[in-house]
Amino acid sequence: MSDRAYVIFEEQQRARGIDLDQVKAKLKAFKIETPSWGYGDSGTRFKVFKKQGVPRNPFEKFDDAAQVHRLTGICPSVAIHIPWDKVEDYGKLKSHAENLGLAIGAVNPNLFQEQEYMLGSVTNADPLIRRKATDHLLECVDIAKETGSRDLSLWFADGTNYPGQGDIRQRKAWMLEALAEMYKAMMPQMRMLIEYKFFEPAFYHTDLADWGMAYNYAVKLGPQAQVLVDTGHHAQGTNVEHIVAYLIDEHKLGGFHFNSRKYADDDLIVGSMNPYELFLIFYQILSAANDSDLSIGQTVNQIAYMIDQSHNIEAKIPAMIRSVMNVQTQYAKALLVNHSEVAEAQQRNDVLEAENAVRQAFEFDVTPLLHAVREEMGVPADPMKAYLNSGYPKSILSRGIGGASW
Ligand code: PSV
Ligand code: MN
């Protein structure tokens, strides 16, 4: 991309009242966390496909994540999932991450893969199973202390498949009991991010089915509890950006798990099918960031942007790079919205102009802008191409087949 393309882009944006220096500063400060489980083998409930070169342990997952950060410059932290990333010594994993220029990000307890959890974890009718599940939550708080992680992201597979299978109200109380015990164990700087999902693996009822339930628990628990919006966890047609705006306004949006969503939680590359939704989510976030109430801006600044994808059929590292670039592209476009233009059109009740002022930003090609930003950050203008041309894809083949699953 030539400098000329950037000069034309800058002139065009200046004429619209957009200050590109500010836009660039925001793009440089924007960070996306990648998931350790996105580097391991994965599949569907029908088949886990084995790939050559997949990391064999958590340390190698960080090696791969470091490539994504080296080439994009915006992925300095990696979320871990316990026990998938269980190690003897978390201090060692932390130093390994730091030597690679990374930090350990959110700690995700895993309460969905042990035999005992078939009928629920923290909402199981058996008090011993509930105890075991809550102890795992507490173990994750301890791990977060060791890794220096701020966020604990919680997702529960708990739910039932048939009417009458469980006492829904009783399970609601058990959920709160477990979350409250965990909340009490957290350090003051830690956050509990509560994720919801309206189906799968339970189909009749899910104990934490939607943002309203997650929000209600977060309110009951206190200011360190917030909601995590996974973009793949809603019913078809749900207006996710509305949920985002609402939660920010209540100071309860803690973060995102980005993935695509054709039908559901599909683990496909974010932005591959509905980039406009992603753009509209960022438009809501950025318009809240402009709020005269500074506490809204504080909530926005704390939002954790995380990817939650474990690609099945495509090569892991480039798929993660593509995902990161797709998010960055939509964020860049949202930074081009002229908010006063939108506000003025809203004041005039001019529906078409208001919609136009938002959509217009989406329609710009931000390639010259992103190339300029990457150049200033000292990363390749085209991270994807740089990865494919690097020696790394070949170098990992010696790991063989049969690495870590997730
Ligand atoms: C569940 O579908 C989920 O979105 C949760 O965030 C899990 O932690 C993650 O996927 C990995 O299974
Ligand atoms: Mn998720």
Side-chain angles (χ1 to χ4, degrees):
M1 187 61 58
S2 67
D3 290 348
R4 204 176 131 60
Y6 181 73
V7 171
I8 295 170
F9 184 79
E10 192 178 31
E11 270 169 24
Q12 193 179 40
Q13 296 307 322
R14 197 180 310 120
R16 299 179 59 238
I18 302 294
D19 175 352
L20 274 201
D21 287 334
Q22 273 187 32
V23 167
K24 280 170 149 184
K26 286 189 177 147
L27 279 166
K28 288 177 195 167
F30 184 64
K31 301 287 176 273
I32 303 170
E33 183 161 305
T34 70
S36 69
W37 58 98
Y39 300 100
D41 271 329
S42 74
T44 64
R45 64 199 169 92
F46 301 107
K47 168 84 184 145
V48 170
F49 299 106
K50 297 278 167 199
K51 294 232 170 66
Q52 188 175 357
V54 155
R56 292 162 292 189
N57 54 52
F59 292 88
E60 288 183 349
K61 291 182 192 171
F62 274 81
D63 294 343
D64 289 4
Q67 292 299 313
V68 178
H69 183 46
R70 182 176 73 80
L71 297 166
T72 62
I74 60 168
C75 301
S77 64
V78 181
I80 58 171
H81 222 297
I82 309 295
W84 295 338
D85 297 313
K86 207 174 175 96
V87 287
E88 288 275 304
D89 181 350
Y90 288 96
K92 216 168 132 193
L93 188 63
K94 186 170 185 256
S95 319
H96 181 71
E98 283 166 1
N99 290 337
L100 293 163
L102 298 174
I104 299 183
V107 178
N108 292 246
N110 183 321
L111 289 168
F112 49 89
Q113 281 190 319
E114 305 229 6
Q115 190 61 31
E116 289 106 310
Y117 299 146
M118 186 176 78
L119 299 177
S121 64
V122 293
T123 64
N124 197 301
D126 182 338
L128 291 178
I129 297 177
R130 292 205 300 280
R131 188 64 256 156
K132 178 184 155 125
T134 308
D135 284 345
H136 178 58
L137 295 177
L138 300 178
E139 179 197 354
C140 287
V141 174
D142 287 339
I143 292 172
K145 284 179 191 163
E146 281 184 66
T147 55
S149 300
R150 177 192 61 170
D151 294 339
L152 288 133
S153 331
L154 306 187
W155 175 72
F156 298 91
D158 293 46
T160 60
N161 273 355
Y162 295 98
Q165 183 189 324
D167 178 337
I168 293 179
R169 287 179 51 243
Q170 176 62 75
R171 291 172 71 110
K172 174 173 174 274
W174 284 330
M175 172 68 73
L176 182 60
E177 212 174 278
L179 295 182
E181 198 175 329
M182 181 183 185
Y183 189 89
K184 240 168 81 195
M186 293 188 335
M187 315 249 287
Q189 71 277 16
M190 287 181 174
R191 302 191 307 172
M192 177 191 288
L193 305 184
I194 307 172
E195 186 173 349
Y196 55 91
K197 185 179 188 179
F198 79 121
F199 79 109
E200 200 198 36
F203 292 102
Y204 173 62
H205 111 280
T206 301
D207 289 290
L208 251 164
D210 66 21
W211 71 270
M213 296 179 199
Y215 169 81
N216 188 43
Y217 286 118
V219 169
K220 285 195 164 120
L221 291 165
Q224 285 171 257
Q226 287 178 304
V227 179
L228 191 149
V229 175
D230 184 310
T231 51
H233 290 192
H234 306 89
Q236 293 283 28
T238 301
N239 184 337
V240 179
E241 58 271 25
H242 180 190
I243 298 169
V244 167
Y246 195 99
L247 288 174
I248 291 176
D249 207 58
E250 296 293 331
H251 302 288
K252 282 296 185 192
L253 181 71
F256 286 94
H257 270 178
F258 288 123
N259 50 49
S260 181
R261 193 198 172 286
K262 181 62 182 167
Y263 287 101
D265 195 12
D266 50 22
D267 274 320
L268 303 184
I269 293 171
V270 52
S272 58
M273 275 172 268
N274 192 0
Y276 197 49
E277 179 183 67
L278 203 49
F279 164 86
L280 291 176
I281 287 173
F282 283 123
Y283 159 57
Q284 286 304 328
I285 292 171
L286 291 168
S287 72
N290 285 335
D291 201 291
S292 54
D293 174 353
L294 295 182
S295 69
I296 296 283
Q298 275 167 11
T299 300
V300 168
N301 284 338
Q302 303 283 317
I303 295 174
Y305 299 103
M306 301 178 277
I307 286 177
D308 178 6
Q309 294 166 201
S310 199
H311 308 103
N312 298 335
I313 57 168
E314 59 278 57
K316 301 277 164 184
I317 302 171
M320 198 57 77
I321 293 173
R322 172 62 65 217
S323 302
V324 168
M325 289 171 69
N326 283 357
V327 176
Q328 188 186 37
T329 300
Q330 296 315 316
Y331 180 64
K333 289 184 179 216
L335 285 167
L336 302 180
V337 173
N338 182 329
H339 293 271
S340 14
E341 207 176 296
V342 182
E344 281 159 26
Q346 287 172 348
Q347 279 306 312
R348 293 194 307 272
N349 270 330
D350 190 335
V351 178
L352 288 178
E353 262 319 301
E355 188 273 342
N356 187 46
V358 174
R359 182 183 26 79
Q360 209 175 51
F362 177 74
E363 286 169 355
F364 285 109
D365 174 7
V366 289
T367 313
L369 170 65
L370 290 173
H371 282 195
V373 167
R374 291 189 188 123
E375 193 174 301
E376 287 173 27
M377 289 174 77
V379 298
D382 186 341
M384 194 72 170
K385 204 158 134 197
Y387 176 75
L388 297 174
N389 290 337
S390 77
Y392 200 79
K394 228 178 175 170
S395 76
I396 53 177
L397 293 179
S398 63
R399 291 172 180 166
I401 296 182
S405 289
W406 295 290

